[in-house]
Amino acid sequence: MSIPVEGVVPPVVVARHEDGSLDQVSYVRNINRLIDAGVHGLFILGSSGEGVFCTASEREQIIADTMEAVKGRVPVLVGCIETQTAKVIEQVKAAEAHGVDGVVVTAPFYALGGLDQVEEHFRQVANATSLPVLAYDIPVCVHVKLPVALLVQLGLEGVLHGVKDSSGDDVSFRNLVIANREAGSPLALFTGHEVVVDGAYLSGADGSVPGLGNVDPEGYVRQWNAFKAGDWETVRKEQDRLARVMAVARLATSVFGFGAGVGGFKVALKHLGVFESAAMPAPVPQLTGAEQDAIRDVLVETGLLSA
Amino acid sequence: MSIPVEGVVPPVVVARHEDGSLDQVSYVRNINRLIDAGVHGLFILGSSGEGVFCTASEREQIIADTMEAVKGRVPVLVGCIETQTAKVIEQVKAAEAHGVDGVVVTAPFYALGGLDQVEEHFRQVANATSLPVLAYDIPVCVHVKLPVALLVQLGLEGVLHGVKDSSGDDVSFRNLVIANREAGSPLALFTGHEVVVDGAYLSGADGSVPGLGNVDPEGYVRQWNAFKAGDWETVRKEQDRLARVMAVARLATSVFGFGAGVGGFKVALKHLGVFESAAMPAPVPQLTGAEQDAIRDVLVETGLLSA
Amino acid sequence: MSIPVEGVVPPVVVARHEDGSLDQVSYVRNINRLIDAGVHGLFILGSSGEGVFCTASEREQIIADTMEAVKGRVPVLVGCIETQTAKVIEQVKAAEAHGVDGVVVTAPFYALGGLDQVEEHFRQVANATSLPVLAYDIPVCVHVKLPVALLVQLGLEGVLHGVKDSSGDDVSFRNLVIANREAGSPLALFTGHEVVVDGAYLSGADGSVPGLGNVDPEGYVRQWNAFKAGDWETVRKEQDRLARVMAVARLATSVFGFGAGVGGFKVALKHLGVFESAAMPAPVPQLTGAEQDAIRDVLVETGLLSA
Amino acid sequence: MSIPVEGVVPPVVVARHEDGSLDQVSYVRNINRLIDAGVHGLFILGSSGEGVFCTASEREQIIADTMEAVKGRVPVLVGCIETQTAKVIEQVKAAEAHGVDGVVVTAPFYALGGLDQVEEHFRQVANATSLPVLAYDIPVCVHVKLPVALLVQLGLEGVLHGVKDSSGDDVSFRNLVIANREAGSPLALFTGHEVVVDGAYLSGADGSVPGLGNVDPEGYVRQWNAFKAGDWETVRKEQDRLARVMAVARLATSVFGFGAGVGGFKVALKHLGVFESAAMPAPVPQLTGAEQDAIRDVLVETGLLSA
């Protein structure tokens, strides 16, 4: 099993009990549901997967639970998101020991040092593992935008095998797709923006990593199949529908950012009977009762839940 | 003649002689060329149109030259981009006197005061004119992102008639399209990002304002026609081709930003025989000879110029 | 009369009637009060002086009123803050015609192009006038920090005669003072941060441009005199007192930024009987009644107003 | 031994062999040198102390080496800088086991969630330990500025015992000092900006955490003693001298940020015979030979090294 070269690869949301501890039963239930829906891979311990909230022992548990539940049915990518190189390599090694299929790594953060150090970081991480390494381009969190030329160069050298683009910069993504194609497509390119997956497919993306795929995996798989069939009207209509479902991640007013987005996904999963609780990792609060009710309304209006 | 409700509306690049003074002959030549290519409107004195570089008398000249050249063949929108409300209204009044078809206005900048003041700004500007007002969402320049809810609300109230989106945020643009549609489409929505116009059309844009449209207006018009015919493969292929042409705006290394982008368009227009000079407004330098040669190569490789 | 080489140079706040029009009587009253208190110069049409809110005719009026009121008693510096070079030069020429003593110019903004263009901008502005040019370093508004080496170099060449530092970066200011001193002190260096003027004097500043100086000019003059006498304990105590007075600019909750700060100064001036109204330029609202009451309390508690 | 209530508390730079492994001998040599110079405490594993570069085992080693070398002569504060609450608490517990005197904690980063979550983060960390907790205000790294009112409130409640201010915002620091004083001084306030320590003392700081204190600890101790004696001219002159020494951290051109600053300190320590190597943690390169020579020149010119 190698890394997924294409398709829908949801970033798996972490299930917790009300006391904050990991809820393995709910977590595995979601994984099986995603695979049953036809997703082409799973991405764990990324931004939506609470990678930066988990202690080392929680990471171990989540990787182990995932690999045991997946049983090789789809490839598993593991986010190894840490401030600097040595700490990332430590996480990569730990993931490697579980037999995962690839790792997803951001630029270093906190202490910034420029693009030369970003490049050296990826080189050293790749050198330390036999696993495929995907770059995770997420400037809103690490405050560096990965340049197209650097990504393609590292792809050509075999340092990188793919990119998960959460840059919010569709212009740059288009340029990346074109540069990658002209270089012989060394990189598999995934978009992380769930409400414009159609545009990313049009740009030439190889797949998507939609957080909302936890809530409506069938929708993203249907959209993927329409894309492969060249049926753009269906791709577009499915996207418009999914953009309306995405309201579950947008309507919180008590929190914003991760707490509103992933918090909303967890509430939806609770309403859908997949999760037992919508508990969040400290210091993030769970959404309020009123917000949870509003999310239920979204699910009902969009047909994912019966009234 | 009212504002364009859809189509390709290039932001018209300013022609200057080598000494920096306005070159009316080249400017009018470009306008006629754009209209002959089938564009659906023109946008002058925006970011690409040197709105913030022009003195009041240069503005007067450019508006007058434009209106005389266009002779009502297509609608003309005028950027009124100034730091605060009173200065914007002064520009709007001046444009109004020339019989233009609409004005395009950013949030106030330099002294920031929050979204309540942005809203009040648009209300006061709209109150001061009978022209349709389009909001220009360009956070990279004004450091405020216009929120979807505010735009749609101002659309419903008749304060705004459209949005030119140069936010680089395709997620927000998709949300704007959906919210506008659910509100009865009070706003005409245009994307300003020339390399992802296909994705914007897929999202539901009413049109595009591509700076690169100065260089290759036929390409954008062909893409528009394919879009209206539902021929997505042509939309996409035309976009991939245009993204390669866009190298004219990306290959400068002596400058960046406006000087590289608009500077590249001007060089291309010179190579194409439309402009007499690629001169830029102070303090922006003209691109170097080597850069101008490289731009010629792009035009040749993409078939816009014979070798 | 040349530019002030040292001392307290308040940025003069604009007086408006309730309908927003200029209130010449209140404005002149404040100018006379400032000069009577012993300030060493005046800075008009800067950020606090509504330079970016005023139309060209309002600018003319304010410069004329100032020169007529000052009658040469202290030097007058005029902010010429516009997006790009040609527009700045137009303002500089207009100010020159009134016989002002110097102009204060920011880096260009809106369309950013890097430090080479910033340097060229200052060179072209200085070339266009015989007036001394001071650089206004205010990255929060123009999104460029002026580098120490560039400022000192332009000082050595006679392009710049001084710097008004509103960068909020005391480390950089210290480095600027040292580099300027080692270069033979070509630049007069002023801090714009009214609550840490003592630290700036310790760093080696030649003077201050405190917005709060509109409210309590005597305080800043006393502090200056103590500084010249080497009485650091008085410098410090005066600063701590002024930092408490500065609450007038910090307690607004209905607005922030310019509206809270300059808005607070105007309310204080109204309470002190200097201004007739605390009206602000569009689109900025005046502070609320409750906020105005709270500002009165600050003035009473700090002894500037009797209860 | 409780946390230092005042004085000079250098952030201790990490010594590494050329292969990147920890160099205990050089590290202990520096610690003894700092204590001999009269510093009032030590801060380890902060931004200069490579907290975000160290693996868990390197952290353990550094804390153990420090405690064994210090032997209770001065208090030791430990930076516990991690992305989110659970990971910080894990580091705090590990430090606690070594008998350290306090911990220094930033706002959570990577996944931002607003000030309510920052507050909750500090509360949960403080709840998990009996050690004094100092807040580390470093927006350039964590992209959140800690508000004055929040810090003072958490001080009054006993959640926080102090603040290390590396915000670069001297206005906010002055406001913090005044608000803390008015609240009965629950917080010990330290500045992290080595070139404006004099201004911070004037503002009312309780001490400083100067990275440059690794290079010239005697200078900062002399300045402190002058401050305590009310001899401001000496405070200022010492600061001007130290600002010139600070060139060791500013002259690199091959890197910037951490690599230039801490890299420069390490080179200086090598020239001074304290460190064996100037090796940096991956992915940061060591300064070049030419840069190392230039740093030697600074040390010679400022009298810290004989020619």
Side-chain angles (χ1 to χ4, degrees), chain B:
Chain B
M1 174 90 41
S2 71
I3 63 157
V5 293
E6 61 174 30
V8 178
V9 184
V12 186
V13 169
V14 172
R16 294 183 183 272
H17 296 295
E18 284 294 321
D19 69 358
S21 63
L22 297 179
D23 172 358
Q24 293 174 266
V25 173
S26 294
Y27 182 72
V28 169
R29 190 185 298 131
N30 190 36
I31 283 184
N32 285 327
R33 177 173 159 269
L34 295 174
I35 297 176
D36 290 349
V39 305
H40 307 87
L42 297 175
F43 172 42
I44 64 170
L45 292 167
S47 303
S48 297
E50 303 185 13
V52 299
F53 291 90
C54 290
T55 59
S57 64
E58 283 183 327
R59 288 184 66 83
E60 278 295 301
Q61 185 69 54
I62 288 171
I63 300 176
D65 289 350
T66 306
M67 297 312 289
E68 191 181 316
V70 172
K71 291 194 178 62
R73 288 178 286 172
V74 295
V76 175
L77 304 178
V78 179
C80 296
I81 302 174
E82 261 295 355
T83 42
Q84 295 291 344
T85 310
K87 297 179 82 176
V88 172
I89 289 174
E90 208 168 40
Q91 289 193 347
V92 169
K93 292 286 191 190
E96 203 176 54
H98 286 275
V100 308
D101 299 283
V103 290
V104 185
V105 174
T106 69
F109 51 99
Y110 187 90
L112 304 181
L115 290 173
D116 287 350
Q117 289 177 30
V118 171
E119 177 175 343
E120 179 65 15
H121 176 75
F122 283 119
R123 289 186 186 284
Q124 292 202 16
V125 171
N127 249 345
T129 181
S130 57
L131 289 174
V133 177
L134 287 83
Y136 193 168
D137 192 17
I138 187 160
V140 70
C141 292
V142 303
H143 306 279
V144 171
K145 173 80 184 79
L146 300 177
V148 167
L150 173 61
L151 291 170
V152 173
Q153 178 60 34
L154 293 178
L156 283 170
E157 296 184 28
V159 173
L160 295 177
H161 288 74
V163 176
K164 190 214 162 192
D165 182 276
S166 295
S167 71
D169 184 340
D170 57 336
V171 169
S172 169
F173 187 74
R174 182 59 155 262
N175 292 335
L176 175 60
V177 167
I178 291 173
N180 186 49
R181 192 183 295 151
E182 289 175 352
S185 298
L187 298 166
L189 302 177
F190 295 84
T191 180
H193 296 291
E194 50 263 277
V195 306
V196 286
V197 171
D198 57 349
Y201 289 163
L202 206 55
S203 277
D206 298 296
S208 58
V209 185
L212 187 66
N214 285 277
V215 177
D216 190 3
E218 289 87 355
Y220 284 101
V221 171
R222 274 196 304 272
Q223 184 188 38
W224 172 259
N225 292 335
F227 161 45
K228 297 307 284 183
D231 177 4
W232 287 104
E233 278 306 321
T234 298
V235 171
R236 174 195 207 178
K237 275 177 194 155
E238 195 63 53
Q239 188 64 66
D240 276 342
R241 193 186 61 77
L242 288 163
R244 283 192 302 273
V245 180
M246 190 66 183
V248 301
R250 269 200 317 267
L251 50 71
T253 54
S254 66
V255 287
F256 65 89
F258 172 81
V262 173
F265 297 151
K266 289 199 188 189
V267 169
L269 288 169
K270 195 175 78 166
H271 287 314
L272 293 171
V274 182
F275 275 19
E276 164 201 305
S277 155
M280 300 293 286
V284 185
Q286 202 173 140
L287 295 189
T288 66
E291 289 166 338
Q292 300 207 11
D293 289 347
I295 288 170
R296 171 183 285 276
D297 292 344
V298 171
L299 295 174
V300 171
E301 284 160 21
T302 54
L304 293 177
L305 193 67
S306 32

Side-chain angles (χ1 to χ4, degrees), chain D residues 3-7 9 134-135 137 148 151-152 155 160-165 172-182 185-192 200-201 203-209 224 227:
Chain D
I3 63 156
V5 293
E6 60 173 31
V9 185
L134 286 83
D137 192 17
V148 167
L151 290 169
V152 173
L160 294 177
H161 288 73
V163 176
K164 190 214 161 189
D165 182 275
S172 169
F173 187 73
R174 182 59 155 262
N175 291 335
L176 175 59
V177 167
I178 291 174
N180 186 50
R181 191 183 296 151
E182 289 175 352
S185 297
L187 299 166
L189 302 177
F190 296 84
T191 180
Y201 289 163
S203 277
D206 298 296
S208 58
V209 186
W224 172 259
F227 161 45

Side-chain angles (χ1 to χ4, degrees), chain A residues 3 23 38 81 104 118 158 186 188 197-198 211 223 227 248 256 276 281 289 304:
Chain A
I3 63 156
D23 172 359
I81 302 172
V104 185
V118 171
V197 171
D198 56 350
Q223 184 189 37
F227 161 45
V248 301
F256 65 88
E276 164 200 306
L304 294 176

Side-chain angles (χ1 to χ4, degrees), chain C residues 22-215:
Chain C
L22 297 178
D23 172 358
Q24 294 174 264
V25 173
S26 293
Y27 182 71
V28 170
R29 189 185 298 133
N30 190 36
I31 283 185
N32 285 326
R33 179 175 158 268
L34 295 173
I35 297 176
D36 291 348
V39 304
H40 308 87
L42 297 176
F43 172 43
I44 64 171
L45 291 166
S47 303
S48 296
E50 302 184 13
V52 298
F53 291 91
C54 289
T55 59
S57 64
E58 282 182 328
R59 287 184 66 84
E60 278 295 301
Q61 185 69 54
I62 288 171
I63 300 175
D65 289 351
T66 305
M67 297 311 288
E68 191 182 316
V70 171
K71 292 194 176 62
R73 288 178 288 171
V74 294
V76 175
L77 304 177
V78 179
C80 295
I81 302 172
E82 260 296 355
T83 42
Q84 295 290 343
T85 310
K87 298 179 81 175
V88 171
I89 290 174
E90 209 169 38
Q91 289 193 347
V92 169
K93 293 286 191 192
E96 204 176 51
H98 285 277
V100 308
D101 298 283
V103 290
V104 186
V105 174
T106 69
F109 51 98
Y110 187 88
L112 304 180
L115 289 174
D116 287 349
Q117 290 177 30
V118 171
E119 178 176 342
E120 179 65 14
H121 175 75
F122 283 120
R123 288 187 187 282
Q124 293 204 13
V125 171
N127 249 345
T129 181
S130 57
L131 289 175
V133 177
L134 287 83
Y136 193 167
D137 193 17
I138 187 161
V140 69
C141 291
V142 303
H143 305 280
V144 170
K145 175 79 183 79
L146 300 177
V148 167
L150 174 62
L151 291 170
V152 173
Q153 179 60 33
L154 293 178
L156 283 170
E157 296 184 28
V159 173
L160 294 178
H161 288 73
V163 176
K164 192 218 159 187
D165 182 275
S166 296
S167 71
D169 184 339
D170 55 337
V171 169
S172 169
F173 187 73
R174 181 59 155 262
N175 293 335
L176 175 59
V177 167
I178 291 173
N180 186 50
R181 192 183 296 150
E182 291 175 351
S185 297
L187 298 166
L189 303 176
F190 295 84
T191 179
H193 296 291
E194 50 263 278
V195 307
V196 286
V197 171
D198 56 351
Y201 289 163
L202 206 56
S203 278
D206 297 297
S208 59
V209 186
L212 188 66
N214 285 277
V215 177

Side-chain angles (χ1 to χ4, degrees), chain A residues 47 52 82-83 87 110 143 283, chain D residues 47 52 82-83 87 110 143:
Chain A
S47 302
V52 298
E82 261 295 356
T83 42
K87 298 179 80 174
Y110 187 88
H143 305 279
Chain D
S47 303
V52 298
E82 262 294 356
T83 42
K87 297 180 81 175
Y110 187 89
H143 306 278

Side-chain angles (χ1 to χ4, degrees), chain A residues 29 101 116 147 247 298:
Chain A
R29 189 185 298 133
D101 299 282
D116 288 349
V298 172

